[in-house]
Amino acid sequence: MKTKNKLYWDKELNPEQREIVSYTDGPILVLAGAGSGKTRVITYKIAYLILEKNILPERILTLTFTNKAANEMKERIASFKNLKCDNLWIGTFHSMSCRILRREAKFVGYKNTFNIYDENDQLKIIKEVMGRFGYSEKNILPKTIYRKIDYAKNHLVSPENYVVSDWDRYDNIVKSVYSEYEKFMKSHNAVDFNDLLIKPIEIFNTNPSILKKYQNKFKYILVDEFQDTNLAQYQLLKLISQKHNNICIVGDDDQSIYGWRGAEISNIMNFDKEFKGAKIFKLERNYRSTKNILGFAQSLVNNNKNRRDKNLWTPNEEGEKISLGSLTDEKGESNWIAQNIKKEIFKKKKRLGDFAVLYRTNAQSRVLEEGFYNESIPYTIVGGVRFYERKEIKDILAYLKVISNPDDDINLKRIINYPARGIGKTTISKIEEISKEKGVNLYQGIKLGIESKNLPDRSRENLKLFYYLIEKYRSIIRKISLNELVRTLIEEVGISTLLRKEGTEESLGRWENVQELLSSISDYSKQKNNGSIDGFLEKISLFSDLDVWDNKQDAVTFMTVHNAKGLEFSSVFITGLEEGLFPLYNYMNDEKEVEEERRLFYVGATRAIDKLYLSYVVKRMRFGEIKNTKCSRFLDEIDRRFIVNEIEPIKVRKRKLKNKINAKDERYRAGRSVAHEIFGIGRIIEIEGTGEFVKILVDFEAVGRKKLLVKYANLKFMD
DNA sequence: AGAAAGGTTGTTTTT
DNA sequence: CAACCTTTCT
């Protein structure tokens, strides 16, 4: 007998899933294969805990890999009847630890207004510290040091514990720079991504009462994508879950693809040893892909040695075989993809949003973009240059960061003379001198500089203006809305005039980005009922491109295979399957690393619902040089039964010939009605170009004006 | 002080 | 090939 409050799940979950949902107490490991409905299990489990076990939402902690996954989960839970989820903690590891750190910052000597530094900021500090030590950037790259520090922090190695190995001549430098880097961060009230995880661990280890508070609070802990947790995340989990020991982790060792970021596949491999008495469940039924796709993916990942045994199956139909395209170069590859997309849209009535084009490195997206642009196929790119990392955006954010946390020298230097206000290099280095002498931060150094006799009147006047500008905003920070503050700010400091007066296409684009920033601030204010600067800054620091990606958009999605984790598409293209690219050459020689590349390929392949395409090229431009390539070893490993080798480079050329028209082709005239596979019906406006470069401008009823290359447009005449 | 030009360098994947 | 840094020119 079910009451209104109870969970109706018979139709929604299979017996295995139901068993997992209702098994609530003690440690649980769910080994969930690709497409086996693990997110569904987690959401139902949360609902079950609240509705059936009467657990208060605020006592449940759920950790996901991306904000996007967290938001989707929240939405799904909100759709359950009678379920209040306002107080649920659902978020990424980083956002959760950041939340904890904001509250408890003082226990590690931080103020709760700390700023979060990204890789660029970190590099600036490393360069500065290197300069202090007199290390030249010529001999050792700041980026190399950055990577080593990052690696150390990922593995919870402090500067004191950093081991200088005798085979690495840079380790000495790394150790000393690392140590200074940490001091710098602390004295400027800044943290990096790793600190978000490390600092709470430090707090918990040194303040048992604080740890107890969180241990008591979170009676149930659920973790998604557990295979990609690193040492710090694992440590945090162990600390928080210790008391109640109700921890449910869900993951798939075959999808562990973040080893380079410190993820430890051993966390999932050894979970049942660390958490004694852990109950292990397996979800092996795949709901997503066709038999062909799943079989193909299995035949690939079976080549890995370090993995848990599993037996994925699907009741879905055989489906089409996997298409393998062998193309002459990346232009051909892009073209092959475009043609296949058009074909499928036409024949199978798919939408543009059903397609994803995946690649190993972001750099590959450029040629694909060009190709799709020429073909007039709408696309969106996820990743690459992140929105909040664009220069114009970071400039404005730097103002906000300084206003909120004036200890932040890095961001202060970024804006002190932007837009130009007559504070040049000489003045800045004078200020730095003063600051160092008095042992204060730059901001206070400026204040001292205003009074200093060693500076020319002109500079002192400019410094004064700048100082009081920031002071003014610091004093009104709580009096006016965030929205208003930012708008006045960019007017007052002259960023808006600066960007608009240039008038180039580039500056116009930048101005548009600023507008986008402003509207994202408006959104945030609305959502948070007038949120704070800190809140906004935190949100965007932890935001990824994927989080803003709109999967309902009518456009083909381009992204890295890493970004595709957890998503699904009707048709998926995996491109650039060449030795050195996929697997990437840094990872070609070590068998463990090749296994991770193979898992990455597996992740990409299992995103596809009913059609998978693979492609490689014979020649590829790299480093500005055209090089011959060798096709990926992975293509030799897989079971050929699943593959159809349908495309040869010649065939693409044939298509071109078939569609080629002459400039004289009189069928194309302004005014005629035409139909396009993707854009629908439209009217020809004008014709330009000759030979195979004939372009026509068509005004489509549904999507407006588009310029198309006749050669590829495949237009049908309607009159 | 700031822009323009020239040289050099390097490509992984991201919260 | 581009992004980035340094130098040089105005």
Side-chain angles (χ1 to χ4, degrees), chain A residues 139-155:
Chain A
N139 300 329
I140 174 165
L141 283 164
K143 205 155 187 186
T144 313
I145 303 216
Y146 163 80
R147 288 211 181 110
K148 290 195 162 240
I149 293 177
D150 193 59
Y151 184 88
K153 294 189 87 161
N154 262 319
H155 293 264

Side-chain angles (χ1 to χ4, degrees), chain A residues 404-530:
Chain A
S404 143
N405 169 27
D407 292 325
D408 186 341
D409 287 5
I410 294 284
N411 279 304
L412 182 69
K413 267 166 112 173
R414 192 177 179 106
I415 56 167
I416 191 165
N417 199 33
Y418 176 85
R421 51 172 71 87
I423 305 178
K425 271 190 204 124
T426 25
T427 315
I428 294 174
S429 47
K430 278 263 171 58
I431 294 296
E432 281 180 314
E433 232 169 76
I434 295 173
S435 308
K436 209 174 281 172
E437 211 173 280
K438 302 274 176 189
V440 296
N441 61 40
L442 267 190
Y443 192 65
Q444 275 142 9
I446 293 174
K447 202 178 175 192
L448 297 172
I450 297 169
E451 255 98 71
S452 166
K453 297 278 175 297
N454 293 332
L455 282 164
D457 290 352
R458 184 97 216 190
S459 308
R460 283 168 44 206
E461 187 55 31
N462 290 336
L463 284 171
K464 200 170 166 185
L465 285 172
F466 176 71
Y467 183 81
Y468 286 105
L469 176 89
I470 300 296
E471 278 297 294
K472 182 178 112 190
Y473 281 95
R474 280 177 59 71
S475 70
I476 56 171
I477 196 168
R478 309 226 173 273
K479 291 184 193 128
I480 64 171
S481 75
L482 175 60
N483 213 335
E484 228 176 306
L485 187 141
V486 182
R487 278 166 210 271
T488 356
L489 181 86
I490 61 173
E491 281 304 324
E492 182 169 354
V493 301
I495 290 179
S496 69
T497 28
L498 189 80
L499 286 179
R500 276 179 299 184
K501 93 171 178 219
E502 255 182 78
T504 61
E505 202 168 316
E506 196 202 334
S507 70
L508 212 78
R510 291 212 229 126
W511 180 241
E512 268 168 25
N513 287 335
V514 172
Q515 295 302 314
E516 210 174 314
L517 175 71
L518 290 174
S519 74
S520 81
I521 290 174
S522 297
D523 283 351
Y524 174 80
S525 309
K526 242 177 258 158
Q527 205 186 324
K528 286 271 156 155
N529 214 350
N530 247 334

Side-chain angles (χ1 to χ4, degrees), chain A residues 240-277:
Chain A
I240 299 180
S241 67
Q242 234 162 44
K243 178 165 184 223
H244 296 291
N245 206 25
N246 295 325
I247 177 167
C248 169
I249 68 119
V250 182
D252 178 5
D253 50 299
D254 283 336
Q255 295 189 64
S256 167
I257 54 174
Y258 283 90
W260 51 273
R261 206 169 80 183
E264 299 276 354
I265 194 169
S266 59
N267 289 351
I268 195 164
M269 302 299 277
N270 302 329
F271 181 79
D272 40 328
K273 293 187 190 94
E274 287 259 4
F275 288 81
K276 290 274 182 301

Side-chain angles (χ1 to χ4, degrees), chain A residues 547-605:
Chain A
D547 299 328
V548 290
W549 171 67
D550 172 13
N551 57 353
K552 284 168 198 79
Q553 227 175 100
D554 201 26
V556 177
T557 303
F558 291 177
M559 63 175 130
T560 61
V561 191
H562 280 92
N563 261 325
K565 190 174 77 155
L567 307 174
E568 61 177 29
F569 297 88
S570 177
S571 294
V572 170
F573 294 83
I574 301 178
T575 65
L577 285 161
E578 297 132 39
E579 285 292 290
L581 192 57
F582 206 163
L584 207 62
Y585 52 144
N586 315 49
Y587 295 144
M588 265 179 14
N589 303 315
D590 179 292
E591 194 42 43
K592 259 180 91 179
E593 293 179 331
V594 172
E595 290 207 352
E596 180 156 317
E597 294 287 296
R598 195 178 282 116
R599 287 194 293 269
L600 188 58
F601 190 4
Y602 174 78
V603 167

Side-chain angles (χ1 to χ4, degrees), chain A residues 65-122:
Chain A
F65 193 71
T66 60
N67 293 299
K68 187 183 176 57
N71 289 335
E72 281 173 4
M73 216 174 265
K74 273 182 217 157
E75 270 169 37
R76 273 166 89 165
I77 289 167
S79 71
F80 284 104
K81 275 199 188 116
N82 307 315
L83 218 164
K84 276 208 203 109
C85 55
D86 297 350
N87 296 324
L88 273 172
W89 275 49
I90 301 184
T92 60
F93 270 98
H94 287 87
S95 64
M96 175 211 53
S97 347
C98 186
R99 208 161 148 187
I100 295 176
L101 190 56
R102 287 266 182 229
R103 291 184 187 182
E104 324 291 352
K106 61 170 187 280
F107 294 103
V108 275
Y110 271 87
K111 293 180 215 162
N112 64 0
T113 50
F114 62 81
N115 286 345
I116 301 168
Y117 277 10
D118 65 14
E119 186 180 332
N120 282 320
D121 300 327
Q122 297 181 60

